[in-house]
Amino acid sequence: QKEVEQDPGPLSVPEGAIVSLNCTYSNSAFQYFMWYRQYSRKGPELLMYTYSSGNKEDGRFTAQVDKSSKYISLFIRDSQPSDSATYLCVPASGGSYIPTFGRGTSLIVHP
Amino acid sequence: DVKVTQSSRYLVKRTGEKVFLECVQDMDHENMFWYRQDPGLGLRLIYFSYDVKMKEKGDIPEGYSVSREKKERFSLILESASTNQTSMYLCASSLQGATGELFFGEGSRLTVL
C-alpha cells in the first residue's frame, strides 16, 4: 500500500461548483498535512497547512483532516477557472522535514 | 518572497552527455531538495541536503549526484545522461525544522535524446 493515495482525475467541474479533493494515507505518524497546488509547467506551491485533526479555512478553501480514518480533504467553494491545477496531498511526520507527496489530482474548472 | 531559481527551464541533451542543473535560493534556507516529476508517478526525491557539503540519498539516487558548496546553491549532476532521465526536475528549499513547508523552483524540463 502506498503511503499516500490520491485519485489522479482529471476532475472536471463547471465554474461555481463546490469541489472536493480527497486523499488517504497509511502512516499513523503523520501529524502535519499540507495541500500544494501546481499549475501547468510550474513548481508546486503551498496552499494549505494544518496540524492534526480538524478543519482549517482560508477564503474559498477548507482543509479537513480526520486522523482516525486517515482521510484528508480539500474543499473549494465557488470554484474558478483559475483553480484549474493539480492538487497534491502532502502529509509529514513530526521531526521530519521531508514530506511525502501524493501523486496529485488534476482539477479542471470550465467556464 | 522566497525565491528558488533554477538555471534552465528547458534543456535538450544527448545520451551520454554530462548535465548540470543548478538551483539557487535566496532565503538562507538550510534544507535543499531535488525531485523529479513524471506523469503518473508524482514527485520522487532524488537527493537532499541539510547543510553545506552534506547530502543524503532520496528514493531514486541512481544515475545522479549532487553538490552543495555554498548554502544557497544546490546542483544536480547527471554524469552520463540516459533517455530514462527525461523528466521534469524540481528544486526546493526549506528552513531547518520546518515540517513539510517546501518552496519550489519553476522546474527544469530535461529531454535526453
Side-chain angles (χ1 to χ4, degrees):
Chain A
Q1 182 186 8
K2 290 187 172 45
E3 279 201 300
V4 183
E5 298 272 13
Q6 278 187 271
D7 184 334
L11 176 62
S12 182
V13 301
E15 182 175 355
I18 296 174
V19 175
S20 173
L21 302 170
N22 306 301
C23 169
T24 59
Y25 65 93
S26 59
N27 188 345
S28 57
F30 290 145
Q31 298 175 287
Y32 302 86
F33 304 93
M34 283 70 64
W35 284 95
Y36 281 75
R37 178 175 60 194
Q38 185 176 22
Y39 291 115
S40 179
R41 290 185 289 277
K42 299 283 189 180
E45 57 179 347
L46 183 64
L47 181 64
M48 297 283 284
Y49 186 106
T50 57
Y51 171 71
S52 196
S53 285
N55 292 0
K56 182 175 182 179
E57 188 173 321
D58 184 0
R60 297 184 294 110
F61 298 88
T62 300
Q64 190 173 80
V65 177
D66 182 348
K67 289 187 70 178
S68 63
S69 58
K70 298 187 177 69
Y71 195 83
I72 310 165
S73 299
L74 178 71
F75 299 97
I76 307 174
R77 292 186 300 279
D78 187 25
S79 56
Q80 303 294 310
S82 59
D83 295 327
S84 298
T86 296
Y87 291 80
L88 302 161
C89 167
V90 186
S93 56
S96 170
Y97 52 84
I98 303 172
T100 302
F101 282 85
R103 295 183 181 185
T105 299
S106 174
L107 172 66
I108 301 168
V109 181
H110 52 87
Chain B
D1 280 352
V2 174
K3 190 157 187 185
V4 178
T5 303
Q6 295 185 229
S7 55
S8 304
R9 291 296 310 276
Y10 301 94
L11 302 94
V12 179
K13 298 291 182 181
R14 297 208 172 272
T15 302
E17 281 192 80
K18 190 169 186 176
V19 181
F20 291 88
L21 299 178
E22 302 283 339
C23 175
V24 177
Q25 50 95 1
D26 66 359
M27 283 300 290
D28 205 33
H29 284 174
E30 291 82 8
N31 305 322
M32 296 190 75
F33 307 81
W34 275 105
Y35 289 87
R36 65 177 282 177
Q37 186 174 32
D38 301 287
L41 297 177
L43 271 77
R44 293 181 291 168
L45 182 63
I46 304 171
Y47 269 96
F48 64 97
S49 168
Y50 53 90
D51 201 351
V52 176
K53 297 191 186 294
M54 306 302 290
K55 60 185 180 184
E56 295 284 344
K57 293 180 179 179
D59 300 318
I60 52 163
E62 297 78 18
Y64 303 94
S65 62
V66 291
S67 172
R68 194 163 179 202
E69 296 295 320
K70 294 184 178 181
K71 190 175 185 180
E72 67 272 17
R73 189 179 295 270
F74 193 36
S75 303
L76 180 69
I77 303 153
L78 288 65
E79 293 289 343
S80 179
S82 63
T83 55
N84 63 12
Q85 292 178 309
T86 292
S87 186
M88 168 71 94
Y89 290 88
L90 290 160
C91 176
S93 71
S94 70
L95 278 168
Q96 185 178 36
T99 305
E101 297 177 87
L102 269 59
F103 295 85
F104 282 88
E106 296 216 315
S108 298
R109 182 164 293 281
L110 172 66
T111 300
V112 183
L113 302 175

